[in-house]
Amino acid sequence: MASPNGAEVERLDVATLSGVRFTVKPKACVLATGGIENARLLLLSNSVEEAGLGNRNGIVGRFFMEHPHVPSPATFLVTGLDLVADWYRTYTKVVTPAGNVVMRGCLMFTEDYLRRTKRLGTVMTFAPSHPILAEDEPPAADASEEEKAKAEEAAKRNAVFRSVLQLARSTTASPAASNEIGWRLGVGCASEQEPNPASRVTLSDETDALGLRRTKLAWRLKKSDADSLRGNLEAVARAFGGWGEGRVQILFPERDEWTEAEGWGNHHLGTTRMSVDPRRGVVDAECRVHGMSNLFIAGSSLFTTGSTVNPTLTLVALALRLSDHLKRRFAAGASEL
């Protein structure tokens, strides 16, 4: 509940599913409920500000971002599996002084490349690998019709890959030492999304168990998001081709629009974005909601862009920075809050 002039949080009305209700009168309030719920609670707090707290400029809930996941955007072919380090192909356990760490290598694009091409970032990871043989092994004599059909389909696909790998080997003058002439590696990727005000969280007419309105999410991708991913795949394909030991088959099609991603990372970003200008963001550089003296926000909802990496470390860093700021303010005197 905000003060009559909407300048501070006067109290918090708390309720549990078991029926317990109580009130808290905070000196400072930090909203840290996630990239969707942060926006929802601000929109629900509309007893003084009709559009919700921090929403005088209609920014709360807008610019929702995710990391669009595409499970099979390309197929990678290499003349030898040893050319791709183990940690790119599987999870590797590394022993460190801090304990055991499981890591996996990925392909990412340099800052220089992204600035030069004006593209959004993409991260790619390799999926399980399969050998491409000079001659496919026939199905077993007692194979079912379904197994025979699958073997026939695989043989057609491998014939194309075999031709490509034989061409690659002809340029490297490195003959195959066995029936294996190369390897096929699947790849998955997650990509960055351009901030889009039409991609947003709003309130629905449905209510939850406490009688509060639920959220409605309109996740909107743009053609430029798809174009950027396609351009990055083409850049990797040119690099692998120039290397000589590999080739890339791009499976992610060019498209007039990207209406829905094939997958997502459960990374909810951007709905209470940070900006020094209250017309462009919900919180200032200290994570304080514009126009309010004691309401702060923590979490990935503060992000102005999404990058391509998991947001956890960044949101934790922002939370630690906010806690240091609040400690300094309390130490200077609660009246300054």
Side-chain angles (χ1 to χ4, degrees):
M1 177 72 71
S3 59
N5 63 0
E8 66 177 355
V9 175
E10 278 194 345
R11 74 173 195 269
L12 303 175
D13 294 328
V14 184
T16 71
L17 294 176
S18 61
V20 176
R21 292 180 178 271
F22 57 94
T23 298
V24 177
K25 293 186 177 181
K27 293 180 179 179
C29 177
V30 179
L31 193 59
T33 57
I36 292 177
E37 289 296 311
N38 278 351
R40 179 195 183 208
L41 289 175
L42 290 178
L43 295 172
L44 286 170
S45 302
N46 59 359
S47 60
V48 175
E49 298 283 351
E50 185 177 353
L53 294 181
N55 199 30
R56 293 179 180 178
N57 294 293
I59 303 296
V60 172
R62 292 189 182 274
F63 298 99
F64 173 85
M65 294 173 289
E66 247 280 10
H67 289 138
H69 280 48
V70 181
S72 299
T75 295
F76 283 59
L77 300 174
V78 291
T79 56
L81 195 60
D82 59 334
L83 297 172
V84 182
D86 288 345
W87 56 79
Y88 282 109
R89 294 185 280 109
T90 185
Y91 291 98
T92 303
K93 187 168 98 171
V94 179
V95 179
T96 73
N100 295 336
V101 176
V102 177
M103 72 173 192
R104 185 177 185 182
C106 61
L107 300 180
M108 296 185 69
F109 295 86
T110 65
E111 182 179 352
D112 175 70
Y113 164 85
L114 295 176
R115 289 185 181 277
R116 178 165 38 84
T117 60
K118 294 181 169 53
R119 290 190 181 129
L120 302 168
T122 300
V123 58
M124 302 181 191
T125 55
F126 287 118
S129 50
H130 304 276
I132 303 299
L133 305 179
E135 294 182 3
D136 287 319
E137 297 178 358
D142 59 348
S144 66
E145 291 302 318
E146 182 180 358
E147 290 171 333
K148 291 179 181 178
K150 287 182 178 180
E152 182 179 355
E153 186 65 28
K156 292 178 182 178
R157 181 182 65 243
N158 288 341
V160 176
F161 295 152
R162 188 179 300 115
S163 298
V164 172
L165 286 167
Q166 287 171 339
L167 177 62
R169 285 191 173 277
S170 71
T171 62
T172 62
S174 177
S178 67
N179 193 36
E180 294 176 2
I181 63 171
W183 287 77
R184 171 173 62 89
L185 295 94
V187 66
C189 77
S191 201
E192 184 178 0
Q193 174 184 356
E194 181 181 346
N196 180 2
S199 184
R200 64 186 301 198
V201 171
T202 57
L203 297 178
S204 76
D205 294 329
E206 297 181 7
T207 57
D208 64 14
L210 296 174
L212 300 176
R213 293 173 67 185
R214 295 182 181 274
T215 53
K216 181 167 60 175
L217 174 61
W219 181 23
R220 296 284 185 266
L221 295 168
K222 301 170 70 174
K223 182 180 185 300
S224 57
D225 300 324
D227 290 344
S228 184
L229 172 54
R230 172 78 188 195
N232 289 341
L233 291 169
E234 291 173 352
V236 170
R238 286 192 295 271
F240 261 65
W243 171 40
E245 298 286 356
R247 296 291 189 271
V248 175
Q249 177 191 37
I250 297 176
L251 303 175
F252 185 77
E254 296 183 89
R255 53 186 75 187
D256 295 330
E257 58 180 348
W258 198 1
T259 56
E260 186 174 354
E262 289 83 343
W264 52 88
N266 294 315
H267 303 155
H268 306 148
L269 318 168
T271 55
T272 63
R273 66 200 325 248
M274 183 184 290
S275 174
V276 296
D277 185 349
R279 295 170 299 177
R280 297 177 180 274
V282 178
V283 304
D284 62 17
E286 303 298 344
C287 306
R288 181 176 60 87
V289 173
H290 285 295
M292 302 196 72
S293 63
N294 67 342
L295 179 57
F296 300 82
I297 298 178
S300 56
S301 63
L302 303 179
F303 290 18
T304 54
T305 59
S307 184
T308 50
V309 296
N310 290 2
T312 305
L313 293 180
T314 305
L315 70 88
V316 169
L318 284 170
L320 291 173
R321 180 176 176 274
L322 172 58
S323 67
D324 289 339
H325 170 70
L326 291 176
K327 283 191 293 186
R328 289 192 300 269
R329 295 290 292 270
F330 274 118
S335 61
E336 296 186 21
L337 284 167

